[in-house]
Amino acid sequence: MKEEAPEDAKVSMLYVEDEADARLMVTRMLAMNYPNLTLYSADNGLDALQLYREHTPEIVMTDINMPVMDGIRMSREMKTLNPEVLIIAVTAHSDTSYLLSAIEIGVHHYVLKPLNYQELFSVLDKVLEQIALKQLVSAQHRRLAQSERQLTAAQRIAHLGSWQWDLDAENMDWSDEMYRICGLEPGSIPATYQAFLERFHPEDRNEVSDSLQGARDPHRQPGHKFVRVLRPEGAQRIVRLDVEWAREPDGVAGVIGTCHDVTELKQAEQQVRSLTEDLERRVLQRTSLLQATVSELENFSYFVSHDLRAPVARLEGFYTALLEDCSACGHANCRQYAERSANVVQQIKQIMDAFNSLTHLARCALTIKVTDLSAQAHEIARRLTADAPDRKVDFVIAEGARVKGDPELLGKALGHLFDNAWKFTSKNERGRIEFGWTDQEGVRTYFVRDNGVGFNMKYAEKLFQPFQTIHAPGEFDWSGTGIGLAVAHSIVLRHGGRLWAEGAVGQGATFYFTLEPNPESGSYLKEA
């Protein structure tokens, strides 16, 4: 049984024979033995030539002696159309005189009449094998050409030029992209070692030469260098030069390498470096200014804590003596003035203590630990309830609010927020204070919400300013100094977060705050 042509070979054959019975019999035999072979048939050379123009089959098997147009003339026309067509001549012994003409036009296969099918199949197998080999070679050439196109396109897109230098010859082999990186049209100058060196900046040529020559050392590890290419118009490009020793299977040794154009990348790196240096300078300046400000604040705090305490203490002694003297005085206003002076002194002392507490937050070092805000909220709620057992306030506290931060400071900040809610729900028959969290745009946001008197949002900026209040004095039973929210705000800032409030008059208020997931310990205001 004869080998079948591969299904993907798509081989077709034109059989030309003027005797109908012989043509029918041979066609059937071919269809039986070569089911994958596409067959066409014609009874004369002229019709066969027309069929060939329509279908261009790879194989033509033709009788020689035919009416209208003989096989020699037909074959010559087909060879003119396609020199690669394979023709099998079928001829009788008496027609052997035609064979010289057949060979002359390129007909290299023939069988004699009467047909011997084994001989025919043997010739046809050889022809099909030849076609299969051509198709295989053609497919390999197509794949190779495609790979070359892809490589060329990849080099062009990546701005990556390649080259090879045979040490036994002066000439080199440059890729098209290598020419373009050098600012040249591909093939515009001979690719030689000397021309290669001349493409680089004069200050970098020795470095390039050392890299190429050093590649011969088998113990030298391949590395890369950044060098400058000098284009004919004077422009410079920065390339990454990689060099490697290579030995071909035939024993020929050489150097192979690449030049990757990284000019834009290096320019971007320089811009980033410049921006980083500028940012570092600005940070250093801002830090210096901040440290100077804190230093001034510390000096002022020292003045408040020490220099003012002595006059206040003397003033306190004066009003104490005045109260003693006024006890026997008959003047109605004398004792009243003395008591008012005592209250003013106590207010001054409270403000001094509050100011020192506030400035301490800018100087103290953070001790970062895992902190359970929910547990702290429960403790604050118990404290508030114990201080005023007659008040009716519902506390709603979400569990599991664990963060990283300074437990003491975070507890103090949360305490001020709860104290604020406790104060402004004091006029409600039943107050409600809620602690929880929500995620806003992927950021965990905690909140303390109350159903108290609320506030006008146009005064929201004043809420976190020290010694400020947006409610009238005496409106609530409270004797603080007005720094609670300012302290909470300062603590949140120290933890890399932010604090803000939302509310409406008569509809309660909500204080939101965020915290940096991994705050830094210590004090960034202290120099190392």
Side-chain angles (χ1 to χ4, degrees):
M1 190 68 180
K2 305 295 178 280
E3 272 189 35
E4 296 180 0
E7 289 186 6
D8 59 351
K10 297 180 181 179
V11 179
S12 58
M13 175 177 171
L14 172 60
Y15 176 42
V16 189
E17 171 61 59
D18 60 333
E19 294 182 9
D21 292 341
R23 185 174 66 252
L24 181 60
M25 179 62 68
V26 172
T27 301
R28 288 179 178 176
M29 291 298 293
L30 291 173
M32 290 175 56
N33 286 270
Y34 300 94
N36 294 322
L37 185 65
T38 302
L39 289 171
Y40 306 100
S41 63
D43 58 4
N44 65 75
L46 191 60
D47 290 345
L49 190 59
Q50 182 60 33
L51 279 173
Y52 184 82
R53 289 192 178 98
E54 294 176 5
H55 303 287
T56 60
E58 290 82 4
I59 306 170
V60 176
M61 187 169 72
T62 180
D63 194 5
I64 294 295
N65 192 5
M66 293 184 299
V68 184
M69 179 184 288
D70 61 57
I72 297 298
R73 182 181 171 190
M74 179 199 72
S75 298
R76 183 177 287 109
E77 293 288 340
M78 290 179 179
K79 281 287 186 178
T80 302
L81 295 173
N82 179 17
E84 300 298 322
V85 63
L86 296 173
I87 300 176
I88 302 173
V90 180
T91 179
H93 287 283
S94 58
D95 297 329
T96 53
S97 58
Y98 287 103
L99 289 180
L100 289 177
S101 299
I103 294 172
E104 203 177 293
I105 64 173
V107 178
H108 297 141
H109 304 279
Y110 69 93
V111 291
L112 296 175
K113 288 184 178 181
L115 287 176
N116 181 310
Y117 286 107
Q118 291 299 324
E119 180 183 356
L120 173 61
F121 294 155
S122 177
V123 170
L124 190 55
D125 285 344
K126 292 179 181 179
V127 171
L128 290 173
E129 183 178 351
Q130 184 179 355
I131 291 175
L133 182 60
K134 284 184 177 181
Q135 290 177 336
L136 178 61
V137 171
S138 178
Q140 290 176 338
H141 285 169
R142 285 196 301 272
R143 285 195 293 269
L144 181 60
Q146 184 180 15
S147 297
E148 289 179 349
R149 287 194 300 271
Q150 290 176 348
L151 178 60
T152 300
Q155 288 193 353
R156 186 180 66 254
I157 294 171
H159 302 297
L160 178 66
S162 61
W163 49 268
Q164 186 168 353
W165 178 33
D166 183 355
L167 297 182
D168 296 332
E170 171 68 13
N171 291 338
M172 299 178 69
D173 183 20
W174 299 357
S175 69
D176 289 351
E177 187 61 22
M178 185 66 216
Y179 277 98
R180 283 190 283 268
I181 290 174
C182 295
L184 303 171
E185 287 296 323
S188 59
I189 65 170
T192 64
Y193 175 72
Q194 187 61 33
F196 184 77
L197 289 181
E198 290 175 354
R199 296 306 100 203
F200 295 91
H201 194 282
E203 296 177 1
D204 297 339
R205 287 173 189 169
N206 288 337
E207 196 171 1
V208 174
S209 178
D210 290 343
S211 295
L212 270 64
Q213 300 296 338
R216 302 185 184 195
D217 185 357
H219 302 292
R220 184 172 180 177
Q221 292 295 327
H224 66 267
K225 294 181 178 179
F226 292 100
V227 291
R228 292 164 291 176
V229 167
L230 192 59
R231 288 183 169 180
E233 73 277 9
Q236 291 186 15
R237 305 295 293 179
I238 302 174
V239 299
R240 169 176 162 154
L241 177 69
D242 288 89
V243 181
E244 190 171 301
W245 176 257
R247 184 175 292 276
E248 300 294 337
D250 58 4
V252 177
V255 178
I256 189 170
T258 60
C259 286
H260 187 195
D261 189 341
V262 293
T263 306
E264 284 73 21
L265 177 62
K266 285 296 181 181
Q267 290 173 348
E269 288 180 355
Q270 182 59 42
Q271 290 177 353
V272 171
R273 191 177 299 111
S274 298
L275 290 173
T276 302
E277 292 174 354
D278 183 57
L279 181 60
E280 289 176 350
R281 284 194 299 270
R282 291 186 180 184
V283 169
L284 184 60
Q285 291 173 356
R286 299 289 174 83
T287 303
S288 298
L289 290 173
L290 186 58
Q291 289 175 339
T293 302
V294 170
S295 178
E296 294 176 358
L297 186 61
E298 288 178 341
N299 293 335
F300 184 70
S301 176
Y302 182 86
F303 169 74
V304 170
S305 301
H306 297 81
D307 295 358
L308 283 184
R309 284 195 182 275
V312 171
R314 288 195 296 270
L315 184 60
E316 188 175 15
F318 292 153
Y319 79 71
T320 301
L322 184 61
L323 280 175
E324 293 175 355
D325 294 342
C326 287
S327 60
C329 179
H331 197 285
N333 294 329
C334 185
R335 186 172 183 83
Q336 184 179 5
Y337 292 153
E339 289 177 349
R340 287 183 179 180
S341 297
N343 292 335
V344 170
V345 170
Q346 292 302 318
Q347 288 178 0
I348 293 174
K349 292 175 67 175
Q350 288 179 355
I351 291 174
M352 290 169 60
D353 292 339
F355 179 78
N356 288 331
S357 174
L358 186 61
T359 56
H360 170 72
L361 295 175
R363 306 190 307 270
C364 69
L366 299 184
T367 301
I368 304 302
K369 297 179 181 178
V370 175
T371 304
D372 190 339
L373 294 181
S374 299
Q376 290 184 338
H378 281 296
E379 182 61 30
I380 296 167
R382 283 191 291 269
R383 171 177 62 80
L384 293 172
T385 303
D387 290 344
D390 296 336
R391 285 194 55 183
K392 297 178 181 180
V393 177
D394 297 325
F395 289 94
V396 181
I397 298 173
E399 302 296 337
R402 298 172 67 84
V403 300
K404 290 183 179 180
D406 188 302
E408 181 180 353
L409 294 183
L410 289 177
K412 184 178 294 186
L414 198 60
H416 284 306
L417 295 178
F418 268 74
D419 288 343
N420 184 77
W422 179 266
K423 177 178 66 173
F424 291 112
T425 56
S426 60
K427 294 186 177 182
N428 290 30
E429 182 177 349
R430 191 172 197 90
R432 175 185 171 90
I433 300 175
E434 180 184 359
F435 169 74
W437 69 82
T438 182
D439 289 326
Q440 297 185 4
E441 298 180 356
V443 178
R444 178 60 55 91
T445 303
Y446 303 92
F447 63 85
V448 175
R449 180 178 292 128
D450 64 66
N451 65 339
V453 297
F455 63 91
N456 191 325
M457 283 294 292
K458 71 178 182 179
Y459 300 122
E461 293 293 331
K462 296 180 63 177
L463 289 174
F464 306 111
Q465 295 177 8
F467 312 112
Q468 295 286 332
T469 178
I470 60 175
H471 294 279
E475 186 178 354
F476 293 89
D477 183 15
W478 172 73
S479 58
T481 56
I483 68 162
L485 293 180
V487 169
H489 185 255
S490 181
I491 292 172
V492 169
L493 289 180
R494 285 297 309 274
H495 284 77
R498 67 188 189 97
L499 173 64
W500 71 99
E502 295 177 2
V505 176
Q507 299 181 27
T510 303
F511 287 80
Y512 297 94
F513 65 93
T514 63
L515 300 171
E516 170 65 33
N518 294 291
E520 294 185 6
S521 59
S523 175
Y524 62 90
L525 297 177
K526 301 286 186 181
E527 289 187 348

